[in-house]
Amino acid sequence: MWKKPFVFFVLLLACSFAFSEKITFSSDSMFGKSGSKSDETKLFGNACVKTETMEISADEITLSGDNFRFIEAVGNVRGKNYESKMDFTCGTMKYDRTTKVANLEDSVHLIDIKNKVTADAQMIEYDQETDIAIMQMNVNLKQKNNLCTCSYAVYKKKAQRLEMSGNPKIVQDDDTFRAQEITLNLETQEITLDGRVQGAVTDTKSEGKGASDSSKEKTSKPAQNDGGKKEQTPNNGGIDGEKSSGEGAEKKS
């Protein structure tokens, strides 16, 4: 069992030479050995590790590999990425300080603070260098009035683009879109649907000059599914453009 001051010194020394990055930690107790780059350092109880770009807290954290390259956290994991302005919570986490790739598992909740995007999934792999998050299983992403669900999604933070597959669906207020693959531009709100397209869209227009709220024209039009790609763009809170649906689906109010 190491004494706390000694462990703290070894970690700072090893990491500062190898990565030019300071790493600090705290915990209720710790265990490990010194003298070899491959040794592990285990932190137990209220464990917390801070690097220059990330802060991680958990019930238990293990640092291992050459110059403590790998960080593994288990139990009530919480993290902040100061560089990309992303916060997260999950059950387990593995982080490679060299590749800057984090693997989050078990009820993952991810928040893109800058772009006001929240995402939930069972597994998320986040690449800090490319700002790309790959989400798998029970994906649920929210942004503005968009509610996106699927089993697989790629969130490209820099491009503000979401690519969905695996029974994807987007709900925008009263409008619903389904397809084999869906791409959403989170800046322009443009939706691209590809393969077995279905949709239900509400189109409400006022009738005449000075019409009352109760006097409105409602339209319901069927749309064809040609198996191709369709693009939807927002127009005054609605959708302007052709809506494509499968058999039985329709544009309605």
Side-chain angles (χ1 to χ4, degrees):
M1 182 81 65
W2 280 342
K3 294 181 180 179
K4 291 183 181 180
F6 179 67
V7 178
F8 181 74
F9 172 78
V10 171
L11 278 175
L12 283 178
L13 184 63
C15 295
S16 61
F17 279 112
F19 296 95
S20 297
E21 179 185 43
K22 184 173 73 172
I23 178 171
T24 60
F25 67 85
S26 62
S27 64
D28 294 339
S29 61
M30 60 193 73
F31 177 82
K33 295 180 180 180
S34 62
S36 173
K37 292 181 179 180
S38 61
D39 283 340
E40 288 186 344
T41 299
K42 290 184 176 291
L43 311 175
F44 301 98
N46 298 308
C48 180
V49 172
K50 294 182 181 180
T51 69
E52 294 178 356
T53 60
M54 186 177 289
E55 177 179 345
I56 304 165
S57 61
D59 294 338
E60 179 182 327
I61 298 179
T62 301
L63 299 100
S64 63
D66 292 348
N67 298 299
F68 304 103
R69 171 180 173 176
F70 303 107
I71 300 176
E72 183 173 354
V74 179
N76 299 309
V77 181
R78 293 181 175 274
K80 294 179 179 291
N81 191 310
Y82 303 120
E83 196 170 70
S84 59
K85 293 180 172 59
M86 302 272 275
D87 291 357
F88 61 86
T89 61
C90 60
T92 63
M93 171 194 179
K94 293 180 180 179
Y95 179 60
D96 187 329
R97 294 198 308 118
T98 300
T99 63
K100 293 191 175 181
V101 173
N103 289 280
L104 315 175
E105 296 184 11
D106 190 11
S107 301
V108 185
H109 182 64
L110 185 69
I111 304 174
D112 180 351
I113 299 172
K114 179 181 178 181
N115 297 295
K116 297 180 180 179
V117 175
T118 62
D120 294 277
Q122 286 302 307
M123 299 172 59
I124 296 181
E125 178 184 287
Y126 176 65
D127 190 322
Q128 190 175 335
E129 295 287 350
T130 61
D131 266 341
I132 294 177
I134 299 175
M135 310 176 187
Q136 299 183 62
M137 299 174 62
N138 301 322
V139 179
N140 187 315
L141 184 142
K142 297 178 182 178
Q143 183 255 6
K144 294 183 178 178
N145 65 330
N146 296 303
L147 174 58
C148 310
T149 57
C150 61
S151 60
Y152 183 88
V154 178
Y155 174 50
K156 299 180 178 180
K157 181 175 180 290
K158 291 179 180 178
Q160 277 300 280
R161 179 184 176 94
L162 179 67
E163 300 170 357
M164 306 164 56
S165 61
N167 195 30
K169 180 176 74 171
I170 294 180
V171 177
Q172 288 183 334
D173 296 326
D174 295 328
D175 302 337
T176 302
F177 304 94
R178 296 177 182 269
Q180 287 183 324
E181 296 180 354
I182 300 178
T183 300
L184 171 64
N185 186 314
L186 296 168
E187 287 186 341
T188 66
Q189 302 299 294
E190 182 180 88
I191 301 173
T192 302
L193 309 172
D194 189 9
R196 301 181 65 180
V197 177
Q198 299 179 25
V201 181
T202 300
D203 185 12
T204 305
K205 300 178 181 178
S206 298
E207 271 188 350
K209 195 181 265 188
S212 66
D213 290 342
S214 60
S215 177
K216 294 189 177 180
E217 178 186 358
K218 296 182 180 180
T219 61
S220 179
K221 300 179 181 179
Q224 297 179 351
N225 175 18
D226 57 9
K229 188 176 293 186
K230 302 293 180 184
E231 292 187 0
Q232 320 294 341
T233 54
N235 181 22
N236 296 328
I239 300 294
D240 183 21
E242 182 182 4
K243 309 298 182 296
S244 179
S245 69
E247 185 176 355
E250 63 177 10
K251 185 194 298 181
K252 63 181 181 179
S253 59

